[in-house]
Amino acid sequence: EEEIRLLRYVNVLLKRWRLVLGVPLLAAFSAGVFSFVVRPTFTASASFLPEVRSGSRVPAGLASLAAQFGVATGSDAAQAPQFYAQVLKSRELLERILLDRYPDPRAKHKPLAADSATLLEILKIKGDSLSQRVYEGLKTLDKLVSTQVDRQTGIVKLTVDAPYPKLAAAVANRMLDRLNEFNAKTRQSQARERRRFVEERVAAVERELRQAEEDLKNFYERNRSWQSSPQLVVEEDRLRRQVQLRQELYLTLKREYETARIEEVNDTPVITVIEAAVPPLERSKPRRRLNVILAFMVGGMLSLFLAFGAEYFDRSGREEDQDYREFRTLAGAVWSELRGMVGLKGGSRSR
């Protein structure tokens, strides 16, 4: 019985071999033609390591374990790798990338074209005004740019898709330059504000220190033999402690002030580029061979479904099956009703 059933299935496939072979071949051919017609996409990638100043008192073992789960244990969240990944996708940075000029890869095909063009022009972003074009360009660029953070190492990977290989690499490297520029300006701005605050505190603590030293000097002038009086000894110790505390605070603030002044003019890169973007040699999309294979497999499954479905209806029609007769009756009724609705709509329009 199993052999008979198997032969029955094989007979169905042999009977409708044109359908079984034609549908997957047609699907594979269509996928291949589509892969050649659609514009290719090239992907360039770059990776960098942000400078993280850890001010956390968490033990090293616990900090590494927390880093694996994406929990930042440092005192400054603006130095976490996730922060840099978000900045790369921010509106301000992407807008500058859109308006920056790049070597136009279309220039060799257009002799009269300029050597450089904005990314808006290269991507052919359309709009009624510049603001509308920038808005549409931001949505397009957001889809072309992706970031990935390695939680264990803190390395940030940036990938950029573009219709030209050199353009993809140029955009990725320009984004790293803009990110480093943003970080330098942000750090200098923070250092400037910190310098101003510390400068005010240094002046105030210096006045307090001078006042404390003056109080101690007046005490010594008024009390020549203060060692013989317990009360004066306690008073002298209190005044001397005030001077020492003011001195320590003054020296600490002075060091912070000098550090803030250095950071205010420091333009050292705050990210370490591990791998700069290079023009890819092969396209990333579309994958023609994979698309053809997948289309052939899907077409094969569809052809099997159509072949066995057609065989089932043919056999049911020959055997006058009750379910088949009911199906024909219901399908005819639905078809008549649909034709009536279409005819009614057409009549109302003609009126």
Side-chain angles (χ1 to χ4, degrees):
E1 294 181 2
E2 293 179 357
E3 292 180 357
I4 294 176
R5 291 178 181 177
L6 181 60
L7 288 176
R8 182 183 303 174
Y9 299 147
V10 173
N11 292 335
V12 173
L13 298 179
L14 293 175
K15 181 180 179 181
R16 305 183 184 275
W17 67 270
R18 293 183 180 86
L19 178 64
V20 174
L21 292 179
V23 172
L25 290 177
L26 179 61
F29 177 78
S30 301
V33 172
F34 178 78
S35 300
F36 279 98
V37 172
V38 69
R39 186 171 62 177
T41 300
F42 297 87
T43 302
S45 61
S47 58
F48 64 92
L49 181 66
E51 176 187 354
V52 180
R53 301 176 182 177
S54 178
S56 176
R57 298 181 180 179
V58 180
L62 184 58
S64 61
L65 180 63
Q68 296 181 7
F69 292 95
V71 179
T73 58
S75 58
D76 191 357
Q79 296 174 354
Q82 291 79 4
F83 170 77
Y84 289 90
Q86 292 295 327
V87 172
L88 285 171
K89 300 275 290 184
S90 63
R91 176 185 178 89
E92 181 179 357
L93 191 142
L94 293 181
E95 185 172 343
R96 297 187 64 180
I97 294 299
L98 284 173
L99 298 178
D100 281 345
R101 303 188 71 86
Y102 305 88
D104 194 349
R106 306 168 300 172
K108 60 182 180 180
H109 302 291
K110 298 179 179 180
L112 299 180
D115 295 336
S116 63
T118 63
L119 192 58
L120 279 175
E121 298 172 349
I122 298 176
L123 296 180
K124 299 179 181 179
I125 305 299
K126 301 184 182 299
D128 298 334
S129 60
L130 180 59
S131 59
Q132 180 67 24
R133 293 179 62 196
V134 170
Y135 176 76
E136 297 295 335
L138 287 174
K139 295 192 297 183
T140 301
L141 189 58
D142 184 71
K143 298 177 182 179
L144 299 178
V145 175
S146 62
T147 57
Q148 184 179 1
V149 179
D150 191 332
R151 295 180 178 179
Q152 294 183 352
T153 61
I155 297 176
V156 182
K157 183 178 181 180
L158 169 68
T159 57
V160 177
D161 294 338
Y164 306 97
K166 292 184 179 180
L167 178 64
V171 171
N173 291 326
R174 184 69 58 85
M175 292 186 70
L176 294 184
D177 294 339
R178 292 300 186 188
L179 175 64
N180 191 65
E181 180 182 348
F182 167 80
N183 288 334
K185 289 184 178 180
T186 302
R187 184 179 59 177
Q188 292 173 0
S189 176
Q190 293 176 350
R192 185 181 305 109
E193 296 299 325
R194 186 166 64 252
R195 190 262 304 167
R196 292 175 180 174
F197 172 76
V198 175
E199 187 176 9
E200 295 177 358
R201 290 296 301 149
V202 167
V205 172
E206 185 177 5
R207 290 192 299 268
E208 295 175 0
L209 175 60
R210 290 180 179 178
Q211 183 63 41
E213 292 175 341
E214 187 69 20
D215 294 341
L216 183 60
K217 185 186 73 171
N218 295 335
F219 174 81
Y220 287 141
E221 291 177 351
R222 292 193 307 266
N223 305 280
R224 298 292 181 177
S225 58
W226 56 272
Q227 296 90 345
S228 60
S229 174
Q231 182 178 359
L232 294 179
V233 170
V234 173
E235 181 68 18
E236 189 273 342
D237 184 64
R238 184 184 65 82
L239 293 175
R240 185 158 43 82
R241 285 200 311 270
Q242 291 293 331
V243 173
Q244 292 177 352
L245 290 175
R246 295 295 186 276
Q247 287 178 345
E248 294 177 359
L249 181 59
Y250 176 78
L251 293 176
T252 301
L253 290 174
K254 199 66 176 176
R255 285 191 292 267
E256 289 291 332
Y257 175 71
E258 295 298 331
T259 302
R261 288 184 60 187
I262 294 174
E263 292 183 353
E264 185 177 1
V265 296
N266 188 13
D267 57 354
T268 304
V270 292
I271 61 174
T272 302
V273 178
I274 299 177
E275 182 181 6
V278 295
L281 299 178
E282 298 181 355
R283 64 183 179 275
S284 58
K285 299 176 185 177
R287 299 181 178 179
R288 295 170 181 169
R289 184 176 302 176
L290 179 61
N291 291 342
V292 170
I293 294 176
L294 290 178
F296 185 83
M297 294 175 62
V298 173
M301 296 174 61
L302 179 61
S303 65
L304 293 178
F305 175 78
L306 294 176
F308 284 103
E311 181 66 20
Y312 172 77
F313 281 105
D314 289 347
R315 181 171 299 179
S316 298
R318 291 194 304 266
E319 296 177 356
E320 290 294 333
D321 184 67
Q322 181 179 356
D323 294 334
Y324 179 74
R325 291 196 300 269
E326 184 178 359
F327 169 77
R328 290 188 58 183
T329 303
L330 294 175
V334 172
W335 177 248
S336 300
E337 186 173 353
L338 290 176
R339 290 181 61 184
M341 293 175 60
V342 173
L344 181 60
K345 290 182 179 180
S348 61
R349 289 179 182 176
S350 62
R351 292 177 184 176

